[in-house]
């Protein structure tokens, strides 16, 4: 039997990133995540499978086209006489089918997720080696949660390390410890999200308890160079935007010794993608003011080394 190369499900590769680790970086966004953070800016990452989305703004209309109506054997796509475009019944849609996207000429119906081999990703990343060398940059695995595709993440990071590319991961921390221990030998840097230490709030806003995330961070602090770990806390209105919540997190990070802690200001950049996926953005219209964020940053700074 012919050997199939390992493939990962990637929904974006962003080159020339300046915000996901040191220097100029290539960021590989991997599908699949165990959390459902209400503010998530990458909801297309949640499912591990490839996923169809519909952008009505690009549809050229059923009168001119209508190919998708014929392609869908499930009756999930119907003519919308009001808009002249289509409407989708997600309840009838079969995950992973994607037949409609295959025939849509305008890419109004399209797919999040592409299966790629380690070599294919490294070839793209390798094109910017010169920029990495000049800037101290490299490759960052993001998502979604990269550890959700542990075999692929491990092979990709190991391949990058063999090519002497600086490697980083952005993780939600919610993964079995042995997933992290498999990646550590090939990692140069870890960006670790710690959103809240409040059990109830974390469960309500992300769908999971923070216990495993906290435990994994404690273990990482004993197993990995602490100066190469950055803990990040997104500050979310109504979730953790109080001095008490931020102080609790900052104090815990400080207790680990030598680990940097950063706050990230809430934004709504990904909210439009919820509509494309037929989901609703649950965080509403709440905003976080610059003044409040600055005040919380000062709270966190009291615990920094
Ligand atoms: S993905 Fe398949 S089942 Fe879903 S709407 Fe498209 S053609 Fe129909
Ligand atoms: S195939 Fe695409 S462009 Fe054509 S009607 Fe369907 S969604 Fe619109």
């Amino acid at each position: 039997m012919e050997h199939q190369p390992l493939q990962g499900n990637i929904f974006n590769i962003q080159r020339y990133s300046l915000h996901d680790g040191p220097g100029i970086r290539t960021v590989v966004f991997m599908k699949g995540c165990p959390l459902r953070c209400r503010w998530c800016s990458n909801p297309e990452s949640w499912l591990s499978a490839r996923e169809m989305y519909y952008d009505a703004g690009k549809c050229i209309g059923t009168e001119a086209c209508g190919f998708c109506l014929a392609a869908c054997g499930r009756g999930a796509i119907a003519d919308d006489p009001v808009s002249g475009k289509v409407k989708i019944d997600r309840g009838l849609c079969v995950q992973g089918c994607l037949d409609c996207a295959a025939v849509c000429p305008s890419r109004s119906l399209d797919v999040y997720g592409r299966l790629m081999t380690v070599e294919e990703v490294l070839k793209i990343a390798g094109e910017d080696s010169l920029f990495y060398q000049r800037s101290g940059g490299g490759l960052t695995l993001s998502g979604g949660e990269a550890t959700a595709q542990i075999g692929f993440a491990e092979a990709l990071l190991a391949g990058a390390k063999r090519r002497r590319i600086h490697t980083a991961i952005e993780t939600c921390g919610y993964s079995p410890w042995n997933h992290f221990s498999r990646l550590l030998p090939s990692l140069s840097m870890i960006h670790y999200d710690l959103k809240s230490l409040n059990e109830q709030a974390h469960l309500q806003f992300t769908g999971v308890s923070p216990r495993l995330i906290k435990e994994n961070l404690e273990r990482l602090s004993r197993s990995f160079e602490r100066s190469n770990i950055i803990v990040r806390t997104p500050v979310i209105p109504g979730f953790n935007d109080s001095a008490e919540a931020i102080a609790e997190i900052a104090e815990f990070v400080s207790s680990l010794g030598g680990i940097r802690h950063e706050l990230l200001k809430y934004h709504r950049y990904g909210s439009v993608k919820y509509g494309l996926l037929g989901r609703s953005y649950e965080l509403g219209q709440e905003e976080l003011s610059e003044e409040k964020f600055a005040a919380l940053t000062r709270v966190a700074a009291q615990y920094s080394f």
Side-chain angles (χ1 to χ4, degrees), residues 54 59-61 65-68 86 104-106 108-109:
Y54 172 56
C59 176
I60 56 178
C65 173
F67 293 168
C68 56
V86 299
C104 179
S106 67
S108 170
L109 286 157

Side-chain angles (χ1 to χ4, degrees), residues 162-225:
R162 278 195 298 276
R163 288 163 171 78
R164 300 183 186 281
I165 296 175
H166 180 278
T167 55
I169 189 171
E170 294 174 331
T171 177
C172 71
Y174 195 84
S175 213
W177 171 251
N178 72 346
H179 284 186
F180 286 106
S181 58
R182 284 169 65 176
L183 301 184
L184 294 187
S186 304
L187 272 173
S188 318
M189 174 166 265
I190 298 172
H191 291 178
Y192 197 98
D193 274 14
L194 186 59
K195 301 165 173 85
S196 171
L197 291 174
N198 181 305
E199 173 82 25
Q200 195 52 41
H202 203 283
L203 198 55
Q204 187 184 347
F205 277 76
T206 73
V208 303
S209 158
R211 261 173 289 166
L212 178 63
I213 298 167
K214 187 180 175 206
E215 281 167 23
N216 280 337
L217 181 55
E218 286 168 331
R219 294 182 79 161
L220 275 178
S221 73
R222 297 191 295 269
S223 320
F224 195 73
E225 172 56 47

Side-chain angles (χ1 to χ4, degrees), residues 109-158:
L109 286 157
D110 208 343
V111 179
Y112 285 127
R114 177 181 164 204
L115 297 177
M116 298 180 76
T117 65
V118 168
E119 285 308 314
E120 285 171 331
V121 176
L122 287 176
K123 184 168 182 293
I124 294 171
E127 289 170 19
D128 295 325
S129 293
L130 189 62
F131 295 116
Y132 306 154
Q133 285 164 21
R134 288 181 176 172
S135 69
L139 178 76
T140 298
L141 300 196
S142 187
E145 172 54 39
T147 59
Q149 297 186 56
I150 186 61
F152 185 80
E154 185 180 30
L156 183 54
L157 290 171

Side-chain angles (χ1 to χ4, degrees), residues 52 68 71-77 88-89 92-101 109:
M52 178 270 285
C68 56
C72 182
R74 303 283 300 196
I77 305 182
I88 298 175
D89 184 340
L92 295 176
C93 177
V94 179
Q95 198 186 99
C97 156
L98 312 175
D99 286 351
C100 53
L109 286 157

